[in-house]
Each structure stands twice: as C-alpha cells, then as structure tokens.
Amino acid sequence: LNEVWKWRCIIMKFEIIKANIVDVVSDAIVLPANEALKEGSGTSKAIFTAAGRKELTQACEKLGHCNIGSAVPTLAYNLTSKYIIHAVVPKWIDGQHNEYDLLSSAYLASLNIAEVMGCESIAFPLLASGNNGFDKELAVRIAEESIESFEGVNLKKIFLVVYGVNMENYIKSLGYNVLVIPAHVKMNDKRIHHQDKQKKLIADGKDVAQDILEAQLEKAIEWIKKPENQKILFEAGIAIFKLAFKKLKK
C-alpha cells in the first residue's frame, strides 16, 4: 500500500465512540451515500437534516453522481464540521461483486479527500453495516484495516462512530474499547461558537475563509476524478479486505 500515498507519513489509529455522529466535532464527517448522492435513511437522513436539507441537496445535485467505492466532498453547512464527505458504499449482493473491496475503497477515498483538503480530523459511521446488508464483524475489520493502513500528514484524529446500545455492546464483544458520549450532554461554548462561525461562513459568500474552503473542495474533487487515483484506491481495497478477512479467521 506504500505506493498509494507519496507524502512523508505516519500510520493512523482510530478511536471508537458511541454518539450521534452529527454531534461529533471534527473537520470532516462522512455520510454513507448512494450513487445519485440523494438523501437516504438512517445516518444519511440525520446528516441531511442537521446540515440543512435544502443547501446540502443543492450541493449534491450540482455534483450529480459518484461511483461506488469513491467519495466526493461538500461543505457541511449547519454542522460543526467544515466538510461532509459523501462515501458511496456498496450494497451486499452475494460477496462475488467486489463488495468488500469497494467498501475498503470508500474508506480510503474518504481519508484521501480529507487529507487533500487539509483536515486534521474525520468522523466515520460504521459504513455498510446497516441497510446495506454487510456482515457487521467483517465491516468492523475492514474499517479497522482501512483506517490503520492509511498514511497521512494532515489527519491526526480519526473517529469511528457507532449509535445505540446494541451496537456499542456488539463492538465491545469484538474486543474494542468504546468511548461513550452521553446523549444528554449539551454542546459547550466552544462547539456553539464553532457552529455560529460556520453558519456565518456560509452566509457570507465574500468571506475569505469561504473561498479557502471552496478551493480545497475543488482540489479534492479533481483528485478523486483522476482514473489512476480511483484504480489505486480499489487495488488497495482488495489488499485491505484480504487483511481483514485474515484477521477475522484467526
């Protein structure tokens, strides 16, 4: 996998937390998307609602389409994050349609986009573990191997966010530690200030910071559009699935 990233790098670790992902403070938040980038159910619906359905829908319509296993970024609008990264994850068919490789690729695409945009933190839900029909344990292993194989300079914190007591207990049963953020905890002053600043950023189209964010968006979109980058990510996904499957069989 060393050929995938050409920066001077450090290997990333991640932290699993139980929370509502829209409440997590990170530079980027990952939305499990479909190819048409339309609002879905579950985590997708929660993020569209919290970010601002009108603004986010318009941004997605402008992008139009994203391939399975790839990802594209938008601004995060009313969220505390700077960006939403829309990761298009596969649906489980029979295991013979590159499902796991594409899932790995979606993680890697999201991480690379966050890196290109200069993000220092990113929050993932457990991709494809719900309505997409993936085996939950292997989905966790693929997330782990994908994140830990990533090498970046800018990203310093990676969160894997789970929701609900049942999922928390399941993750713990696999031997992982889960940090619980109580649902009743209110946003502190820092988070409120961050959210107000983000709203102002979107409202003022002439804001210099707005221009910087949009420039980073364009840079990331151009990066992911290059066929050679998509090929590298998919090939890396194949390798990651093999590692995850090997760990599962131990």
Side-chain angles (χ1 to χ4, degrees):
L1 299 180
N2 289 335
E3 296 180 359
V4 179
W5 301 282
K6 299 179 181 179
W7 298 289
R8 182 173 175 271
C9 305
I10 57 173
I11 295 175
M12 293 301 304
K13 298 294 183 181
F14 68 100
E15 183 175 16
I16 301 178
I17 58 177
K18 177 196 171 191
N20 186 332
I21 195 167
V22 301
D23 293 331
V24 176
V25 177
S26 62
D27 287 341
I29 182 173
V30 178
L31 183 154
N34 51 59
E35 289 180 271
L37 302 177
K38 294 185 180 295
E39 179 180 345
S41 59
T43 302
S44 172
K45 184 179 181 65
I47 294 175
F48 265 84
T49 301
R53 181 170 285 105
K54 180 179 178 180
E55 296 90 343
L56 188 53
T57 298
Q58 288 176 344
C60 289
E61 288 176 348
K62 182 178 179 180
L63 291 169
H65 178 87
C66 183
N67 294 329
I68 299 173
S70 189
V72 288
T74 64
L75 295 177
Y77 301 101
N78 293 333
L79 291 174
T80 58
S81 303
K82 296 177 182 176
Y83 305 105
I84 295 170
I85 297 177
H86 305 252
V88 183
V89 295
K91 290 187 177 181
W92 176 258
I93 301 174
D94 56 9
Q96 304 300 315
H97 290 76
N98 298 321
E99 292 99 318
Y100 292 122
D101 307 328
L102 289 167
L103 178 57
S104 300
S105 179
Y107 274 104
L108 294 173
S110 300
L111 290 164
N112 273 277
I113 285 173
E115 178 72 22
V116 168
M117 294 189 300
C119 295
E120 295 186 355
S121 56
I122 185 172
F124 286 91
L126 182 58
L127 296 177
S129 62
N131 294 335
N132 286 59
F134 274 65
D135 174 82
K136 286 184 173 58
E137 183 172 0
L138 192 49
V140 173
R141 302 302 185 193
I142 288 175
E144 176 184 29
E145 295 294 343
S146 299
I147 292 170
E148 293 191 346
S149 72
F150 177 75
E151 299 175 339
V153 172
N154 296 314
L155 277 171
K156 297 176 176 63
K157 292 183 179 180
I158 301 177
F159 303 107
L160 186 61
V161 184
V162 298
Y163 186 75
V165 175
N166 290 340
M167 182 58 77
E168 175 195 357
N169 291 336
Y170 181 74
I171 296 297
K172 287 180 177 178
S173 75
L174 298 178
Y176 296 93
N177 294 322
V178 180
L179 175 65
V180 178
I181 300 178
H184 66 273
V185 172
K186 303 297 183 181
M187 290 194 302
N188 58 32
D189 291 341
K190 182 178 179 181
R191 292 187 61 190
I192 292 173
H193 174 71
H194 183 97
Q195 190 173 50
D196 288 344
K197 184 178 179 181
Q198 183 71 5
K199 287 180 179 179
K200 180 182 181 299
L201 182 71
I202 302 305
D204 185 0
K206 296 181 180 179
D207 195 304
V208 174
Q210 169 89 359
D211 293 337
I212 293 173
L213 289 183
E214 291 182 347
Q216 296 289 57
L217 278 174
E218 291 300 320
K219 183 178 179 182
I221 290 171
E222 287 303 312
W223 187 93
I224 203 64
K225 281 182 177 179
K226 293 180 180 179
E228 60 268 30
N229 287 336
Q230 295 190 29
K231 181 180 179 181
I232 288 171
L233 292 177
F234 181 71
E235 290 175 349
I238 294 174
I240 286 168
F241 165 62
K242 291 178 179 178
L243 289 172
F245 188 74
K246 183 177 181 181
K247 179 176 288 190
L248 185 65
K249 290 298 184 181
K250 287 183 178 181

